Amino acid sequence: MSDPVPFAMPTRFDRARDRVAVVVPGVGYSPARPLLHFARSVLLQHGWTVQELWWQIPDGFAQFTVDDRIAWVERQVTEAIEVEAGACRLVVGKSLGSLACGIAADRNIPAAWLTPLLKIDHVAAALRRAMEPTLLIGGSADTLWDSRTAASLRHDVLEVPSADHGLELADDAAGSVEVLRQVVTRLDRFIGSLGR
């Protein structure tokens, strides 16, 4: 009898070879969590190839400086983009993943940032110089979201009233599902606007 094959989650979903979206997680928010799971679904619906990053946060990450965190995230995202040999045409990131928004800006790659860390100067500055279509989605109850900064940018913004950093409503599961519906609808519209 042969050894059983270990269960493995796919991290790549192939569609168009010349349109790859890299999906970047948060600290504890993997691509299996609802916002990124449905982002992948929308991308596949529009014919994109999706490459999900599943990273292992290094030991001691909580003690990293902000600059060290930025450098670590940028390394992960740069490697994922470069593997695609020019076919990466979209980045979708959650929270910690938004520390790579400078990479997207510098490489002229459109991006959708879910709960970006707008209170970190590096993120806000990178978003100011981003010229490609960019979608920002955050909640007014998220302490890491900055409504004023979001409004000052020339990007497409969806701010969800009373939503927290997970884009959920406290003590309101059904309401949180409606928020997810709003987010998916906006992602669908944004991704559809990027054309083929």
Side-chain angles (χ1 to χ4, degrees):
M1 186 160 147
S2 64
D3 291 334
V5 176
F7 177 76
M9 294 278 298
T11 62
R12 186 177 189 84
F13 303 84
D14 287 313
R15 296 293 192 275
R17 282 186 290 184
D18 62 339
R19 287 190 312 138
V20 177
V22 172
V23 173
V24 186
V27 170
Y29 204 99
S30 78
R33 299 284 307 270
L35 294 168
L36 295 179
H37 168 81
F38 284 104
R40 174 184 35 139
S41 296
V42 170
L43 287 159
L44 294 174
Q45 217 172 264
H46 285 276
W48 288 74
T49 287
V50 178
Q51 177 63 57
E52 297 174 337
L53 294 188
W54 289 73
W55 52 35
Q56 181 68 42
I57 299 295
D59 291 338
F61 192 74
Q63 283 73 49
F64 280 26
T65 66
V66 171
D67 288 344
D68 288 341
R69 290 178 187 198
I70 291 166
W72 184 83
V73 170
E74 286 184 340
R75 266 193 314 277
Q76 310 303 310
V77 174
T78 297
E79 286 174 16
I81 289 170
E82 288 180 353
V83 162
E84 301 304 334
C88 178
R89 295 179 43 205
L90 179 64
V91 175
V92 178
K94 171 78 172 82
S95 184
L96 181 70
S98 71
L99 295 182
C101 64
I103 300 297
D106 294 343
R107 291 175 179 241
N108 297 311
I109 299 172
W113 302 111
L114 310 175
T115 68
L117 306 178
L118 293 181
K119 292 192 175 176
I120 294 178
D121 291 340
H122 170 84
V123 172
L127 289 170
R128 281 189 194 92
R129 70 176 190 272
M131 301 306 291
E132 292 297 319
T134 302
L135 172 63
L136 307 174
I137 301 178
S140 67
D142 179 0
T143 58
L144 300 172
W145 174 260
D146 187 318
S147 299
R148 198 171 285 157
T149 297
S152 75
L153 299 167
R154 57 174 193 72
H155 303 304
D156 186 7
V157 175
L158 170 62
E159 181 174 284
V160 182
S162 302
D164 63 16
H165 192 62
L167 289 175
E168 296 182 21
L169 305 176
D171 301 318
D172 186 355
S176 295
V177 171
E178 287 306 313
V179 170
L180 180 60
R181 180 186 301 278
Q182 273 186 285
V183 171
V184 171
T185 298
R186 185 60 72 90
L187 279 168
D188 184 52
R189 190 167 76 209
F190 175 74
I191 292 165
S193 75
L194 299 177
R196 296 219 169 242

